[in-house]
Amino acid sequence: MKFSLLFETTHVNKYVMMRIGILLALLTICTSTRAQDFNMRRQNTVGKWRANVQNNGTLLNASDTANTVPGGVWLNPSGTYDTLVFGGGLWVGGQRKVGDHLEPRVAFSYEPNHGASRCRPGSAIYDTRFGDTAQAARDKYRVYRSTDGVAPAWPVRETSSGPRYIDDVSARVAAGPPSVLGDQDMFIVYKDTDPLLWDSGGAPLGIEIRTQLSFWKGGIGQNVIVVRNSIINTQSDTIFSPTVSLALDGDVNNPHDDRLKGVQNEGVRGAVFFTELSTTDPFLGVVLLAGQHNSHRPDVGLTSLHYWTISEDPKDNAARLAFMTTHYMDTGTSVVGDARMLMSSASDEALAPGDTLNFDYAFFAVPASGRVALDPKDSARVLGTALQISSYYNQGALRGLSVGPNRQPASRTGVYPNPARETAYIALPNDRSSHEIRLYDALGRAVLTKSLELGAKNAVLDLTNLPAGVYQITIDGQRNSEALVRVR
């Protein structure tokens, strides 16, 4: 289910041409003036991504009516488009008290088999429980882009207490400047509290989800989408054993050739989608930046990573929750087929009424290596990129993703390549009087010291004795703003 516009004569047929026509028609619709449509998909064209988003929480799935067109489209360095994602979204589960016993509940914004969602646009806190189809709600709870510059104003504002969603349209501008991370951000707010979206006799979990996606124009950020989610328990009762998961259906090349591999080291855990039919299609990487967490509960991290095929889909609440909470890490390579991924973060700490969980992750594209399928060198490249994104995230410096390793401003010391394997080069400032570079590991231990010659423009670091990880750099004791990522 991939639309490469490359002239691959062995793959061009009437079916593919029909699919390309559907995609082009969709792109025309997405840029039309129907921006206030309650379920309108908005399109990001910043950097290398065209990301289709629906305000019921479905990310990157490009067809509202028939899930025949994948939606995460990435512009290759060659100038052609590749589709990498069919669709994705959150699964949020837990146990809710019903009468005198607990019952499993799972709300999802994307179900891979049918593209279904148990969520509607709008706020369960400020809006009604049900879907509000009034024009005011259609305007207010649409998909927002930070660069649109049209009313209603961007809903996430930088307040004295930090970034905050402002539901009152009239109060947004006065609350503070727009709070964004990328060159363009997208924002949606949605809820699962409409009983009509649930199975017969089932009660909603009772959550509101706020999702913000960030994109960048240049540097490594042009290959990255960072997604931040806030999940709020809007009910008056507690959700026990809460679990949050990303469900993603990758679609590199075509749905019958999808393959998926878990990749991990001591610094990061993630997954990569790839194809065995092409040496030009990029790899799609996924990394969990932070599992469910907030200011008063620690980051749970990644508790399970599953990949599965269409025939293995769980069918009901109990099966879905069991699937999400099973502690298992898939690290091998999946079978060839329609691979899907579930990346979960489960906790035994209950979610009280009115409390919030955060859950952040990133998609990223790694350009083709010129080899068919995935090999250890590709895994290392994916892990290196994942480590670099995670490093920026952990430092609270995601805006720095717009500055690539070879595009450093003059005020910063350039480190390249970054990530690095055996050797790294540090471009030194002209006005230095420095004598020594040191690298520090994540525990603050000095693990490498390099003496510098006066007047040298660059320093060469031998990394072969260092384990993979993220290292802080100091020059004569002054901490450099860029971290060095070492991959094996």
Side-chain angles (χ1 to χ4, degrees):
M1 291 190 182
K2 166 246 178 193
F3 302 96
S4 175
L5 301 186
L6 300 173
F7 291 98
E8 300 173 286
T9 55
T10 57
H11 295 289
V12 174
N13 54 38
K14 291 182 180 179
Y15 174 71
V16 171
M17 293 306 294
M18 177 187 71
R19 300 286 294 281
I20 291 174
I22 295 173
L23 178 61
L24 293 177
L26 177 68
L27 298 184
T28 301
I29 292 171
C30 286
T31 55
S32 74
T33 59
R34 297 194 301 112
Q36 308 309 316
D37 190 324
F38 209 34
N39 290 303
M40 182 60 191
R41 295 184 186 278
R42 305 304 301 279
Q43 194 175 63
N44 172 77
T45 55
V46 170
K48 293 189 174 185
W49 292 93
R50 289 180 181 268
N52 301 298
V53 176
Q54 188 172 346
N55 55 351
N56 66 356
T58 305
L59 306 182
L60 309 177
N61 193 9
S63 174
D64 284 328
T65 56
N67 296 308
T68 55
V69 184
V73 185
W74 187 73
L75 180 64
N76 253 320
S78 63
T80 58
Y81 283 100
D82 283 285
T83 54
L84 302 181
V85 184
F86 183 85
L90 292 184
W91 289 14
V92 182
Q95 300 274 353
R96 275 197 59 198
K97 194 170 183 180
V98 179
D100 59 353
H101 64 284
L102 294 176
E103 289 190 2
R105 292 285 184 270
V106 176
F108 51 80
S109 67
Y110 176 73
E111 188 273 309
N113 271 352
H114 309 98
S117 175
R118 280 182 170 170
C119 299
R120 288 194 189 276
S123 169
I125 298 173
Y126 302 103
D127 193 13
T128 64
R129 292 175 58 204
F130 307 100
D132 187 349
T133 57
Q135 188 61 47
R138 296 160 74 90
D139 292 348
K140 181 178 179 180
Y141 297 117
R142 62 178 171 84
V143 178
Y144 284 86
R145 290 192 298 187
S146 60
T147 55
D148 277 349
V150 296
W154 177 253
V156 187
R157 316 303 291 193
E158 196 64 56
T159 70
S160 58
S161 59
R164 191 159 67 93
Y165 168 71
I166 307 296
D167 187 78
D168 184 348
V169 171
S170 65
R172 287 175 180 170
V173 174
S179 177
V180 295
L181 282 177
D183 299 309
Q184 181 181 80
D185 283 17
M186 301 175 78
F187 179 84
I188 48 179
V189 55
Y190 47 105
K191 56 193 177 181
D192 80 325
T193 51
D194 188 343
L196 296 177
L197 294 171
W198 287 69
D199 302 332
S200 178
L205 187 61
I207 56 171
E208 175 177 317
I209 304 176
R210 301 167 185 175
T211 298
Q212 188 167 343
L213 300 85
S214 300
F215 306 79
W216 288 265
K217 292 180 181 177
I220 64 170
Q222 65 188 330
N223 298 337
V224 178
I225 304 176
V226 171
V227 186
R228 298 181 301 171
N229 301 280
S230 295
I231 299 107
I232 306 167
N233 179 8
T234 69
Q235 303 284 34
S236 59
D237 60 332
T238 298
I239 298 174
F240 295 93
S241 303
T243 305
V244 186
S245 305
L246 166 65
L248 187 70
D249 187 355
D251 217 342
V252 182
N253 196 275
N254 70 66
H256 305 296
D257 183 55
D258 288 352
R259 299 208 76 177
L260 181 60
K261 178 178 173 62
V263 290
Q264 60 181 306
N265 62 15
E266 62 270 26
V268 69
R269 285 175 171 174
V272 56
F273 289 85
F274 63 97
T275 175
E276 292 188 328
L277 293 182
S278 170
T279 59
T280 60
D281 288 293
F283 304 112
L284 172 67
V286 190
V287 60
L288 182 65
L289 299 175
Q292 54 170 297
H293 69 285
N294 58 28
S295 59
H296 55 273
R297 58 195 295 154
D299 178 3
V300 176
L302 181 67
T303 58
S304 64
L305 175 65
H306 286 282
Y307 29 88
W308 80 102
T309 63
I310 190 170
S311 62
E312 299 169 312
D313 273 353
K315 304 300 183 184
D316 54 35
N317 280 319
R320 287 191 183 99
L321 190 59
F323 188 55
M324 295 166 67
T325 54
T326 301
H327 291 266
Y328 188 81
M329 294 291 171
D330 278 319
T331 56
T333 303
S334 72
V335 298
V336 178
D338 192 13
R340 296 92 175 279
M341 180 198 75
L342 196 77
M343 190 177 278
S344 299
S345 182
S347 175
D348 292 327
E349 185 175 347
L351 185 65
D355 205 0
T356 301
L357 294 177
N358 299 304
F359 179 82
D360 305 336
Y361 59 89
F363 304 116
F364 57 95
V366 177
S369 63
R371 295 179 290 271
V372 175
L374 192 76
D375 66 17
K377 291 182 179 179
D378 290 321
S379 294
R381 291 168 64 228
V382 171
L383 274 172
T385 303
L387 280 166
Q388 196 166 14
I389 298 167
S390 298
S391 174
Y392 278 102
Y393 175 89
N394 291 328
Q395 295 175 48
L398 279 172
R399 292 179 188 273
L401 284 171
S402 61
V403 182
N406 296 319
R407 296 164 57 97
Q408 305 299 332
S411 61
R412 292 179 65 192
T413 301
V415 183
Y416 56 93
N418 196 6
R421 292 175 65 82
E422 287 80 15
T423 304
Y425 302 86
I426 298 183
L428 301 172
N430 295 328
D431 58 350
R432 73 178 180 89
S433 58
S434 52
H435 300 86
E436 185 179 79
I437 289 179
R438 286 193 177 186
L439 293 189
Y440 293 84
D441 66 12
L443 298 178
R445 300 173 298 191
V447 293
L448 186 151
T449 300
K450 173 76 175 182
S451 297
L452 302 173
E453 295 181 6
L454 192 63
K457 301 295 185 183
N458 294 281
V460 182
L461 304 184
D462 182 359
L463 308 178
T464 52
N465 292 324
L466 295 182
V470 179
Y471 296 89
Q472 295 297 328
I473 304 166
T474 65
I475 301 176
D476 276 357
Q478 298 297 311
R479 178 173 169 174
N480 183 40
S481 58
E482 184 177 6
L484 170 66
V485 179
R486 155 77 161 131
V487 297
R488 286 193 178 275

